[in-house]
Amino acid sequence: MRISTAGTRRWMLATALCGVLITGCSNGSGGGGGDAKPQAKPAAEPKPLAEGALRPLLLSQADLGTGYVQVQEKSDSGKFDDVSVQGCSALEKLGQSGDETMFAAKAETSFTYDDTDATLGEELHSDRPSVLSSKLRGLFGAYTSCPTYTMTAGTTPIEVKVAKSATPELGDEQFAYTSTMELPSGAQVLKTMAVRKGNVAVMLVGAPALVDRHMKTAVGKLPAGS
């Protein structure tokens, strides 16, 4: 199937938007140690899964059905160096700590759909449940703290509007918001949704209909004990 130049450009911007979200994170405590009693050993949390264990849990073309084409993965190195955010202090602080590794392990994939500009990206993250919970709350809290902000990709300023979204009753915790990017070619609406199940978090970003359609399948691929 043909992937248009415009579609590729929009996917790059969508990836940049998601990438800023994923790779930048404040130093939130996230460890849950404050709840431990001085004379009692805290209950052991499940350990993070390794990247090799996460990769088979990613969505595949067989999971998604006909019309999906997997996008060839590229190295993250330098991918978001020219992306910055202005007009939202919480996101600006998030970006300042972008060199930090957010979670212990990560695996990702992405797809285009039906010879259109529609895209769907997935990231799996693993860490101790308390770390995933704390950092996801901080992350989505930052992104929904400002109804509007400006994202600059290279020299191109892009106005972004953000609104919280409803979430399905899946996993242990759910987070979602919808962002509208005002591009020169027209507005593009993206939905970002994350579901934590134990020590693994599934994050989907892309066309809202595709995110809503496939999140249950993505969560269903996680092992029962995660």
Side-chain angles (χ1 to χ4, degrees), residues 153-188:
T155 58
T156 304
I158 300 167
E159 297 301 315
V160 183
K161 298 178 181 178
V162 179
K164 290 184 179 180
S165 300
T167 58
E169 292 296 324
L170 295 171
D172 299 313
E173 290 182 285
Q174 315 85 25
F175 311 86
Y177 67 86
T178 301
S179 53
T180 302
M181 297 190 295
E182 297 295 340
L183 305 176
S185 56
Q188 182 183 19

Side-chain angles (χ1 to χ4, degrees), residues 4-186:
S4 69
T5 302
T8 302
R9 171 65 173 166
R10 290 181 182 182
W11 172 246
M12 290 173 64
L13 290 171
T15 304
L17 185 64
C18 184
V20 170
L21 185 153
I22 296 299
T23 59
C25 184
S26 61
N27 275 328
S29 60
D35 294 332
K37 296 179 180 179
Q39 297 180 346
K41 185 177 180 180
E45 291 189 286
K47 294 181 179 180
L49 299 182
E51 179 185 354
L54 289 176
R55 191 155 295 280
L57 307 178
L58 290 166
L59 291 170
S60 66
Q61 288 175 283
D63 296 318
L64 299 175
T66 58
Y68 290 85
V69 176
Q70 192 167 17
V71 178
Q72 185 175 3
E73 294 183 37
K74 297 181 180 180
S75 170
D76 285 347
S77 179
K79 187 163 65 171
F80 309 118
D81 288 349
D82 64 346
V83 177
S84 61
V85 171
Q86 302 85 37
C88 182
S89 59
L91 292 182
E92 290 174 27
K93 291 178 181 178
L94 201 67
Q96 291 170 3
S97 53
D99 290 337
E100 298 175 8
T101 300
M102 181 157 182
F103 298 119
K106 166 188 172 182
E108 63 183 320
T109 188
S110 57
F111 303 86
T112 58
Y113 177 63
D114 201 21
D115 199 20
T116 69
D117 290 344
T119 57
L120 179 69
E122 179 187 21
E123 292 193 357
L124 294 178
H125 296 274
S126 186
D127 214 314
R128 290 180 293 123
S130 61
V131 174
L132 284 174
S133 178
S134 176
K135 290 190 174 182
L136 284 172
R137 287 178 180 276
L139 196 61
F140 278 77
Y143 264 81
T144 56
S145 66
C146 301
T148 61
Y149 65 89
T150 301
M151 179 177 74
T152 301
T155 58
T156 304
I158 300 167
E159 297 301 315
V160 183
K161 298 178 181 178
V162 179
K164 290 184 179 180
S165 300
T167 58
E169 292 296 324
L170 295 171
D172 299 313
E173 290 182 285
Q174 315 85 25
F175 311 86
Y177 67 86
T178 301
S179 53
T180 302
M181 297 190 295
E182 297 295 340
L183 305 176
S185 56

